[in-house]
Amino acid sequence: EAVRSPVTFTLPGIERRRGGKPQPPPSPNERLHHMCRARVTKRWRKSARMETWAATNGLGPALIANNSRLNIALTLVSVGEFDGDNLDAALKSVRDGICDDLWRNCRDHDADRSTGKMCGNRHDTDPRLAWRFQQERGPVALVRIEVTW
């Protein structure tokens, strides 16, 4: 299958406090109250799911059903710098949000065939997905996502 031109979109940083400046996803080393961390993580995940659906015109589940190989590059743009393992962990909510869109309406991946029950796991470790994590310095926090198939 020929490689199509990549789909690129961005997720703007999320304010943690009213009137605060947009922040990147929280690092595991950041000391946040557990409820604040959960709220911010949920917002990043939902944003990634919605933007993936909009950018791919809802093609995600069809690409997975056709066993297409997806190359997904996540680039964190931030004023600070993350080390390798913290970069992966900080982008986990974005990664999960993308998988939420890709496995929307899933009935073949870990589904119970007798009941037709939707799969509960959105597998970011699926062999059809190749992830690449990068970071850049920039004045404003955002995550740039590029999907090719």
Side-chain angles (χ1 to χ4, degrees):
E1 184 175 7
V3 175
R4 294 179 183 91
S5 61
V7 175
T8 304
F9 55 100
T10 59
L11 304 177
I14 293 178
E15 295 177 4
R16 295 190 191 159
R17 292 183 193 88
R18 250 185 224 150
K21 69 181 204 176
Q23 299 287 319
S27 164
N29 292 342
E30 257 183 274
R31 302 296 175 230
L32 293 175
H33 187 273
H34 65 278
M35 292 301 293
C36 177
R37 181 179 297 278
R39 185 173 48 250
V40 170
T41 299
K42 182 178 180 179
R43 289 172 64 194
W44 274 103
R45 184 172 181 159
K46 181 178 179 182
S47 177
R49 178 176 46 88
M50 300 299 284
E51 291 298 324
T52 302
W53 182 83
T56 61
N57 294 322
L59 285 177
L63 293 171
I64 293 297
N66 291 337
N67 286 324
S68 298
R69 178 144 174 96
L70 299 177
N71 298 306
I72 304 168
L74 303 176
T75 305
L76 175 64
V77 178
S78 164
V79 293
E81 199 167 315
F82 290 63
D83 63 2
D85 55 343
N86 286 336
L87 180 63
D88 293 351
L91 292 173
K92 178 71 170 136
S93 57
V94 174
R95 190 170 163 163
D96 288 342
I98 293 169
C99 288
D100 286 345
D101 177 64
L102 294 178
W103 272 276
R104 184 181 71 248
N105 301 328
C106 171
R107 295 202 183 274
D108 64 341
H109 194 75
D110 286 348
D112 183 349
R113 302 246 186 246
S114 62
T115 62
K117 184 178 172 186
M118 301 281 274
C119 60
N121 289 333
R122 310 299 198 257
H123 291 284
D124 55 354
T125 58
D126 190 280
R128 293 172 283 191
L129 304 179
W131 298 94
R132 193 173 75 237
F133 299 99
Q134 307 169 110
Q135 61 182 329
E136 295 175 4
R137 288 211 174 214
V140 93
L142 60 91
V143 176
R144 188 171 40 252
I145 302 168
E146 183 178 303
V147 181
T148 58
W149 58 91

